[in-house]
Amino acid sequence: MRKMEHLKKNELTIGAVIFLATLMLMHTSLPLISAPELMPDYCVAFSVALIASNFLNLNLLKVFILGLISDILVGELIGQYALIFIIVYFSSFIFNKYLFFTSARMIFIQHLILLLIAELSLFMTSISYQLDKDYSLYGIKIILTLLICLGYQKLFQYLKNKN
Amino acid sequence: MKRRHSTKKLRLFNTNQSPIFSFIVLLLVSFLLMGLDYRKEIQPDIKQFRSYIKPPLIYFLNLPNKISESVKETLTTKSALLEEKIQLENSMMELSIENQKLIFLEAENSILRNSMKIASNLAIKSISAEIILPTVINGKRSIIINKGQDDGIQVGSPVINNLGLVGQVILTEKNYSEVAPITAREYIVPAILEKGTDNVILRGTGSGYLEIKMFPSHRVAKIGEQFMTSGIDGIYPKGIKIGNIIDIKPVVTNQFNHLLIAPTSDPTTHSQVRVFLGGIK
């Protein structure tokens, strides 16, 4: 029992560190990518991978609070990331209810669909509230975000197996 | 006898309780928060608060990138430097010729102003500032400069570089300020064509360009023509280059044209900018 609690605490600390690193990554310009329109959406990639891999056993309220923290620290509109995070969580819940993701290809498709849902929500809220976002290279940005998301997924999987 | 399965108890791979109720509640809360923030503008206050930790953090995070760029610059070959020197000498010569013309024009202008008793409208104080980093925050371009309230910078001060208008200060702290680039969606600047006709309002598109959504089609505007600040708003001095027309498309039964303007200046290509202090006298 104590060991379980210790493992849970450890997982939470690692999760918090990865979350902080994600927030920092959002302020970093990549050496090969100079155009801001191409910068991957780290926050969305992180949330999709975290929720899909069920790394911290988060519930809807915790996901919402995590989204609100992201909004306060790096967001453009309070509630935007919170909304995206809960939509991703709920979509993931529905997927997991009817489907069982086992193979690497299925996990890839799961991440891709969740990411597209998240990006669509981000796009719609940004359009509705006239946020200053660039959509000229959105396709490439989504591909880069997906790559980052898969990177996060591998990391979470590795950490899960380690524990 | 047929057995009836209760659909309510049918749980497939996910055995957890459905969070549909909490989802709807939190969805409504999110929309409420977004609406509140949009109307009451809560986020700028939060931005002001988080801006205390942002510049040093951004500086350290981008330090490796900056170091790699400075190393690249240091390793520039001798021949490239010599070529640059020749180019600079040529441009210096051209500039000195331009300067001679300007001195003459200034003198002529002064005589004309004196004779017409018009006061000069370009008495503007400005300071130079360095861009700490043309950073990208969550895919949005943001410019942070190393001068702030202590140097007399106020929110709304125009920012230029040697190529033209860069943007406007939107947030100022003790030692630094944040500048919105002219291409930002919320950016608006009154402009005039270089030939001195057509006072218009240019608006940022949020994607690296400026635009005029409805430019009367009976007015003549050609691709390549330049827009300058008109100075009628009392914020921007008159005659600062904004951008060139790169696309003209007819809209609304050909009565209007949509003009797309590419800005002449890009903050990422220059590290130094000038910030105007106070309004135009």
Side-chain angles (χ1 to χ4, degrees):
Chain A
M1 190 73 182
R2 198 173 280 178
K3 200 182 170 189
M4 279 286 281
E5 263 177 31
H6 178 72
L7 276 175
K8 231 177 176 180
K9 215 173 174 183
N10 201 14
E11 238 180 30
L12 198 71
T13 315
I14 293 166
V17 169
I18 297 170
F19 180 61
L20 282 176
T22 304
L23 298 183
M24 285 184 180
L25 274 172
M26 290 177 90
H27 291 90
T28 317
S29 47
L30 295 175
L32 293 171
I33 303 166
S34 54
E37 307 86 55
L38 285 175
M39 286 293 286
D41 208 328
Y42 292 101
C43 222
V44 169
F46 171 79
S47 69
V48 168
L50 183 77
I51 292 163
S53 61
N54 201 18
F55 179 63
L56 293 174
N57 291 320
L58 295 171
N59 60 27
L60 197 65
L61 192 68
K62 282 179 189 168
V63 166
F64 180 76
I65 290 165
L66 196 70
L68 272 185
I69 294 169
S70 310
D71 280 320
I72 289 165
L73 293 174
V74 288
E76 285 293 311
L77 192 71
I78 302 276
Q80 193 183 25
Y81 275 125
L83 175 83
I84 291 159
F85 283 23
I86 58 166
I87 288 174
V88 170
Y89 181 89
F90 191 71
S91 311
S92 174
F93 180 86
I94 299 291
F95 287 157
N96 283 312
K97 197 172 172 72
Y98 297 107
L99 299 163
F100 195 52
F101 299 98
T102 48
S103 68
R105 197 176 289 176
M106 285 177 89
I107 289 170
F108 171 79
I109 291 167
Q110 180 201 20
H111 280 72
L112 177 69
I113 295 169
L114 288 177
L115 188 82
L116 288 175
I117 291 168
E119 287 293 343
L120 187 72
S121 316
L122 189 73
F123 175 79
M124 285 172 79
T125 45
S126 299
I127 289 279
S128 312
Y129 292 97
Q130 298 172 339
L131 295 185
D132 185 15
K133 296 249 182 204
D134 195 339
Y135 303 104
S136 53
L137 299 162
Y138 213 53
I140 303 167
K141 187 183 169 168
I142 289 175
I143 293 167
L144 286 172
T145 311
L146 180 67
L147 291 174
I148 300 286
C149 180
L150 293 172
Y152 272 124
Q153 187 260 329
K154 290 277 171 219
L155 179 70
F156 289 138
Q157 204 172 26
Y158 168 76
L159 290 169
K160 240 180 164 180
N161 292 341
K162 209 179 162 189
N163 286 337
Chain B
M1 203 171 145
K2 263 188 178 178
R3 231 186 235 180
R4 286 186 70 184
H5 289 282
S6 165
T7 47
K8 272 185 185 173
K9 284 179 184 173
L10 180 68
R11 282 172 190 164
L12 297 173
F13 303 108
N14 196 335
T15 52
N16 293 339
Q17 192 77 37
S18 174
I20 184 83
F21 179 71
S22 355
F23 174 68
I24 292 167
V25 170
L26 291 175
L27 203 70
L28 291 173
V29 172
S30 308
F31 281 122
L32 192 76
L33 282 172
M34 283 195 287
L36 265 176
D37 186 19
Y38 187 66
R39 279 170 194 274
K40 308 260 176 198
E41 295 188 344
I42 307 161
Q43 190 68 296
D45 296 333
I46 295 170
K47 268 187 186 170
Q48 190 90 15
F49 174 72
R50 76 187 182 208
S51 63
Y52 288 106
I53 49 161
K54 214 163 74 176
L57 185 76
I58 290 168
Y59 182 81
F60 281 111
L61 285 172
N62 288 281
L63 201 59
N65 213 4
K66 220 177 178 184
I67 290 169
S68 79
E69 270 176 25
S70 72
V71 167
K72 218 189 280 171
E73 249 176 55
T74 317
L75 296 175
T76 314
T77 56
K78 194 184 164 189
S79 61
L81 284 170
L82 280 170
E83 205 176 299
E84 203 177 329
K85 191 190 158 212
I86 293 164
Q87 274 180 0
L88 283 171
E89 276 174 355
N90 283 337
S91 68
M92 207 172 78
M93 242 155 59
E94 279 169 22
L95 283 170
S96 79
I97 295 163
E98 285 289 314
N99 194 30
Q100 282 170 34
K101 278 188 204 168
L102 281 174
I103 290 166
F104 170 72
L105 283 172
E106 204 177 333
E108 198 181 45
N109 191 18
S110 164
I111 293 162
L112 283 169
R113 278 187 185 283
N114 280 338
S115 63
M116 294 175 81
K117 291 182 180 164
I118 300 170
S120 169
N121 63 348
L122 282 171
I124 309 153
K125 237 173 107 183
S126 68
I127 56 158
S128 75
E130 194 181 345
I131 294 176
I132 300 176
L133 270 172
T135 49
V136 175
I137 299 164
N138 201 5
K140 186 183 165 187
R141 189 170 279 175
S142 165
I143 309 160
I144 296 168
I145 55 171
N146 68 344
K147 297 278 164 73
Q149 284 166 356
D150 285 359
D151 306 283
I153 293 178
Q154 294 164 359
V155 171
S157 304
V159 181
I160 65 159
N161 67 12
N162 59 335
L163 292 176
L165 194 62
V166 171
Q168 192 176 22
V169 175
I170 51 163
L171 186 109
T172 178
E173 274 299 315
K174 237 170 118 64
N175 301 315
Y176 70 90
S177 306
E178 195 175 328
V179 178
I182 54 171
T183 52
R185 197 186 284 270
E186 64 268 28
Y187 197 89
I188 288 173
V189 55
I192 192 163
L193 273 170
E194 60 185 335
K195 56 192 177 193
T197 58
D198 300 288
N199 263 303
V200 289
I201 302 281
L202 298 188
R203 184 185 283 270
T205 59
S207 58
Y209 298 101
L210 293 119
E211 66 178 353
I212 303 169
K213 283 190 175 163
M214 285 180 154
F215 187 78
S217 52
H218 65 271
R219 301 296 309 152
V220 182
K222 291 174 192 159
I223 287 176
E225 276 188 319
Q226 196 168 63
F227 274 107
M228 291 174 158
T229 50
S230 62
I232 55 167
D233 55 349
I235 298 170
Y236 300 97
K238 193 179 176 180
I240 295 171
K241 284 187 234 169
I242 301 174
N244 299 314
I245 302 171
I246 55 160
D247 190 34
I248 302 171
K249 269 186 195 147
V251 285
V252 195
T253 60
N254 292 339
Q255 285 176 1
F256 296 96
N257 284 326
H258 176 266
L259 268 57
L260 195 67
I261 295 117
T264 50
S265 99
D266 184 357
T268 52
T269 54
H270 294 270
S271 60
Q272 294 287 331
V273 288
R274 274 204 96 73
V275 186
F276 290 110
L277 307 173
I280 305 164
K281 285 166 194 166

